[in-house]
Amino acid sequence: MRDDPHDVQTLSTDDMTVYEAVAYLAVDDRVAETADVARVAALPEEAVRRSLAVLAEKGWIEPRGGAHVLGPHDWSVER
């Protein structure tokens, strides 16, 4: 069986928290800078950096100019 990188069960609790913080920031069309994600997620910046790397590698988020945005998804973010 092949691993699906978009399987939520492959993510740690920190990864999910960081993803939710990036999505929260996306509501205002903001890119997610590490410091903002750390503040929203209430996690240390080092943990956020690790999770951002994991999420980018799996395609959940995309790097954009030193920050991150949501990767391709099939749901919308409502204001």
Side-chain angles (χ1 to χ4, degrees):
M1 180 161 145
R2 246 175 76 171
D3 290 333
D4 178 4
H6 287 102
D7 180 358
V8 71
Q9 294 179 355
T10 66
L11 300 178
S12 72
T13 301
D14 281 357
D15 296 342
M16 284 302 302
T17 301
V18 167
Y19 181 79
E20 290 169 358
V22 172
Y24 171 82
L25 293 166
V27 170
D28 292 326
D29 297 323
R30 294 172 54 191
V31 295
E33 296 185 11
T34 303
D36 292 332
V37 175
R39 179 182 50 77
V40 170
L43 291 170
E45 284 193 27
E46 186 55 37
V48 169
R49 280 196 243 353
R50 280 192 302 270
S51 288
L52 289 170
V54 167
L55 293 166
E57 179 181 313
K58 292 178 179 272
W60 286 74
I61 63 172
E62 297 175 351
R64 182 162 302 157
H68 292 82
V69 297
L70 294 176
H73 54 277
D74 60 0
W75 49 271
S76 64
V77 177
E78 294 183 22
R79 294 179 188 262

